[in-house]
Every structure is written in C-alpha cells, then in structure tokens.
Amino acid sequence: MPRSPDPQGMKALLVEYLEWMRATNYAERTVEYRRKYVGHFLAWCQERGVTRPGEVTRPILERYRLELHRHRKKDGKPLSFRTQQVRLVSVRAFFKWLARQSYMLYNPAADLDLIALVLSIRSLRTRCHRTGVRNFDRLHVEIGQVC
C-alpha cells in the first residue's frame, strides 16, 4: 500500500497552493507553470532530504539558484536567464504563500536575488519599433538616466 503524503510536507502543500491559485482566479496556464516549476524545486529538495517547508533555508535556496545556473539541457546548452528567472519567481511565490498561510514563520525566499535580465540596446530598439514606440533615442536617454 503506497504511503500517503505528509500533510505538512511540501508536496501536499503544493497541491493546496495550486487549489488556492485556482480559487483566486489565476489563469490555468499560470497554475500549470507553477506546478511544473515548483515541482522541479521540490524534486531537487527531496533528493537532498528536504521535504518540509521549515527545512528550507536561505542557503538552500541560494544553492538551488546556483544549480539552475549550472544546469544543462539535453542539448548541452544552459537554461536561459529568462527560464531561470521564471523558475525562481515560481518558488518565491510558493514560499510567500506558505508564509501568508502560516505554514512558515518567515519566508526564506523573500530576499532571494533574481537573475538580472538585461536587454541590449539593439533588442530594446527592435521592441520599440515593433510596438510602435517612436523617438527611440529620447527613450534611450531617459532609460539611461534612470539606470
């Protein structure tokens, strides 16, 4: 007979989190992405013997972030920065929910550094032209002043 999951374990809480997302009208696609990406994190944790939210610490999250950076796809290429970002945002949102629901005393992912996404000037110019933004040079100067 298969063991029932620990009701306070992260796998059971992920199911509850996804139900909450559906009940609060998140798009089904968002719910599926969260299931997939938080599921990747939970599998990674389980390999290390971490199964309950209280066992997750900031250093564990930092190691996971580093693992995403080092991970290689089947074709040998690294995960894109965007993919790394989406996975980390999913994990951070899960822990935010856990803390709000009082499953944790604090959110260890609250200050988790995300991957810096940098757009090249060429990419920014292309996006501006595609979306109809005029006067790119003025926009570039304004962005440069902000950054």
Side-chain angles (χ1 to χ4, degrees), residues 117-134:
L117 296 176
V118 179
L119 289 176
S120 68
I121 297 301
R122 176 186 232 171
S123 173
L124 185 59
R125 178 175 280 140
T126 302
R127 287 173 189 235
C128 286
H129 287 291
R130 244 190 264 140
T131 58
V133 173
R134 305 278 185 251

Side-chain angles (χ1 to χ4, degrees), residues 78-91:
L79 295 175
S80 72
F81 288 123
R82 180 76 181 127
T83 298
Q84 293 175 50
Q85 174 95 347
V86 169
R87 289 185 182 194
L88 289 172
V89 165
S90 296
V91 169

